[in-house]
Amino acid sequence: MPPDATRNLLDKVWDAHAVRELPSGQTQLFIGLHLIHEVTSPQAFAMLREMELPVRFPERTFATVDHIIPTRSQKRPLADELAEQMLQALERNTADSGITFFGPSSGHQGVVHVIGPELGLTQPGMTIACGDSHTSTHGAFGSMAFGIGTSQVRDVLATQCLAMARPRVRRIDVTGKLAGGVYAKDVILAIIRQLGVEGGVGFAYEYAGPVIDAMTIEERLTVCNMSIEGGARCGYVNPDAVTVDYLRGRPYSPRGAAFDRAAKYWLSLASGPAASYDDRVELDGNALAPSVTWGINPGQSVGVDERLPVPSAVPDGERAALEEAYAFMQLEPGTPIAGTKVDVTFIGSCTNGRISDLREAARVARTGKVASGVKALVVPGSQEVAKQAEEEGLDEVFRAAGFEWRKPGCSMCLAMNPDKLVGPQICASSSNRNFKGRQGSPTGRTLLMSPAMVAAAALAGAVTDVREVL
Ligand code: SF4
């Protein structure tokens, strides 16, 4: 048996990027691609200036503005003075260092985890770092992608390396076939529900099986995006023909014969048929329903056809977490999640702000009008996504149904811009975190679900089973 047949992708990519083993037991890992944005980079650049160090590999570093950018108008100067200052700081830092910046006038601006893949910057076998938790998204291509803190952003800018502990690998096979109205978001919410929000600590998740094999790259991006919500250090899907097809012709993809050589290498990175894993888990894709979170972490979800859990019926160790969630969410244990009223709906984010997400949501939007009193936002993940959606007339579909069509950015995923919940509003959201206060109001409540489910909630004014609408 060839040696590659027994190695998994993480081992191959890790070993190819290991500079040396450190006395701490960590590995000094070379980082192939560094993505930066306006929130976690300014302090890192300041530290570099203090140490009089240049950016080591500006050609491997790419920047965009996403968190603070307003979505009503992105005309300069931005209406929010602090946001304008942060944008100018990024412009200065990238210009001074020779880093490519995809700013508002570039035509490529957007959420960092949306633009990397669509530009072809993200490629199989890469090590990728970004000062953002959801960097795991890029694993959809078979890369090792790590969210890092500000001091690590400094380290990567200065050395293009990170000190990392090698994660163990858990293979998660999703078997069967998804039913209509059940999406990648439902798969990852079900995985996190089954394994827990800390179940992945110390692991990389390798997603595989017929359901993952049948997914598009955009769907795989949604799954990998939320690996971090399950506690995993990163998540990935083995590269295959779907990966190669997606990358062909992208602005930063190799061209001509170089592409064919790269594709051969990319495919060779997939875990071998006899690869070993530290753990294996299986999930039955046939049994999945649209998922909705009801609590204050992404593991607290139910199928849309289920009732909310009753604290007295769960094991002692789990009761306190449920009670804390109910105290915040003010929902009634034992009641069906379907029918829960919503005040706001948000379609967007690095989890579900891609063109395929907007197409599915628009299918639902075509069937009705946004319920009276509901504020419904659609925020494309990037300028490219917005352009494509507008060419297809999706913006008009949303507007005709009563949704607001906005400019690209993180928007109400994290509410670092003016898009915020007010008071205890409940928001049906296609984003990835339902933590207390995540969407801009300390008492605001978030229900995570797929973009199609969000659209259905907007029309009904309440959580609704999208399978009854499509
Ligand atoms: S969309 Fe949300 S999760 Fe993604 S990068 Fe922006 S703030 Fe972070």
Side-chain angles (χ1 to χ4, degrees):
M1 191 180 298
D4 253 19
T6 58
R7 299 172 76 214
N8 61 46
L9 179 139
L10 184 128
D11 288 337
K12 296 182 200 180
V13 176
W14 191 276
D15 292 346
H17 291 82
V19 178
R20 62 182 172 136
E21 296 308 311
L22 299 169
S24 62
Q26 293 176 301
T27 307
Q28 181 184 352
L29 206 61
F30 186 78
I31 299 300
L33 173 68
H34 188 198
L35 300 168
I36 60 174
H37 59 77
E38 75 284 10
V39 177
T40 50
S41 69
Q43 305 91 322
F45 278 108
M47 289 188 263
L48 231 60
R49 270 193 294 273
E50 259 171 45
M51 297 194 276
E52 297 183 5
L53 290 172
V55 174
R56 184 67 184 79
F57 282 97
E59 70 277 21
R60 289 183 177 274
T61 315
F62 295 84
T64 189
V65 55
D66 49 11
H67 287 64
I68 52 94
I69 195 104
T71 59
R72 277 189 195 282
S73 163
Q74 298 179 344
K75 211 162 146 263
R76 304 289 298 274
L78 301 178
D80 177 344
E81 214 173 297
L82 181 61
E84 176 62 29
Q85 281 170 17
M86 290 173 82
L87 177 46
Q88 285 184 17
L90 187 57
E91 285 171 329
R92 265 196 316 274
N93 285 331
T94 50
D96 290 351
S97 311
I99 293 169
T100 301
F101 173 44
F102 299 112
S105 58
S106 68
H108 300 297
Q109 174 267 336
V111 184
V112 64
H113 310 310
V114 176
I115 69 161
E118 74 187 9
L119 286 167
L121 287 168
T122 305
Q123 294 173 13
M126 276 184 170
T127 46
I128 300 176
C130 175
D132 188 274
S133 311
H134 295 90
T135 307
S136 58
T137 311
H138 304 262
F141 291 81
S143 45
M144 302 279 86
F146 306 108
I148 56 176
T150 296
S151 56
Q152 291 172 302
V153 173
R154 172 203 59 196
D155 295 348
V156 181
L157 286 174
T159 68
Q160 203 64 27
C161 290
L162 275 176
M164 300 277 299
R166 189 186 193 117
R168 291 176 290 158
V169 183
R170 172 178 288 146
R171 164 112 167 183
I172 301 175
D173 282 290
V174 187
T175 60
K177 190 168 180 279
L178 299 183
V182 180
Y183 297 93
K185 181 65 156 287
D186 304 306
V187 171
I188 188 62
L189 283 173
I191 289 172
I192 299 170
R193 180 183 181 185
Q194 180 173 324
L195 300 176
V197 288
E198 290 179 358
V201 173
F203 281 101
Y205 280 176
E206 176 176 308
Y207 302 102
V211 165
I212 303 291
D213 291 345
M215 283 184 179
T216 64
I217 284 290
E218 297 203 349
E219 292 170 313
R220 295 175 187 179
L221 287 162
T222 298
V223 172
C224 290
N225 174 273
M226 291 189 70
S227 306
I228 190 77
E229 302 306 331
R233 190 66 188 89
C234 60
Y236 65 85
V237 177
N238 286 305
D240 60 7
V242 176
T243 322
V244 172
D245 285 349
Y246 179 93
L247 281 166
R248 203 183 302 278
R250 302 264 157 195
Y252 284 86
S253 291
R255 312 243 153 224
F259 184 88
D260 296 335
R261 276 197 306 277
K264 199 168 163 211
Y265 168 66
W266 293 338
L267 295 171
S268 77
L269 296 169
S271 297
S276 61
Y277 298 93
D278 300 289
D279 191 28
R280 292 192 80 130
V281 171
E282 214 174 90
L283 188 83
D284 180 7
N286 293 324
L288 296 183
S291 294
V292 183
T293 65
W294 62 270
I296 53 173
N297 71 53
Q300 292 174 321
S301 70
V302 288
V304 67
D305 44 9
E306 288 179 63
R307 290 174 180 271
L308 299 182
V310 178
S312 60
V314 303
D316 287 354
E318 295 171 24
R319 199 164 304 138
L322 258 64
E323 284 169 351
E324 185 192 351
Y326 278 119
F328 184 81
M329 295 300 288
Q330 295 292 304
L331 298 174
E332 199 55 46
T335 56
I337 188 75
T340 305
K341 296 265 180 266
V342 302
D343 307 294
V344 178
T345 66
F346 170 62
I347 296 169
S349 86
C350 59
T351 317
N352 280 129
R354 297 184 177 79
I355 189 66
S356 51
D357 299 314
L358 302 191
R359 286 180 188 138
E360 284 305 295
R363 274 177 69 202
V364 177
R366 281 190 180 95
T367 68
K369 298 269 183 231
V370 171
S372 156
V374 171
K375 180 183 175 71
L377 299 189
V378 183
V379 183
S382 71
Q383 291 179 336
E384 293 275 1
V385 172
K387 184 164 165 268
Q388 178 71 29
E390 287 166 11
E391 279 171 15
E392 294 178 21
L394 303 185
D395 56 329
E396 286 308 322
V397 171
F398 285 118
R399 280 200 195 94
F403 290 81
E404 297 179 34
W405 177 252
R406 297 290 190 86
K407 306 248 182 275
C410 295
S411 180
M412 206 178 265
C413 171
L414 182 59
M416 283 184 85
N417 74 348
D419 305 334
K420 297 180 196 302
L421 295 185
V422 178
Q425 283 181 324
I426 295 188
C427 179
S429 178
S430 72
S431 55
N432 49 39
R433 278 193 172 157
N434 52 345
F435 299 167
K436 293 177 185 174
R438 169 78 177 179
Q439 293 188 287
S441 160
T443 52
R445 296 168 286 172
T446 304
L447 309 179
L448 302 176
M449 57 191 84
S450 71
M453 281 283 288
V454 174
L459 303 192
V463 175
T464 302
D465 190 338
V466 73
R467 294 173 297 187
E468 292 163 10
V469 180
L470 288 174

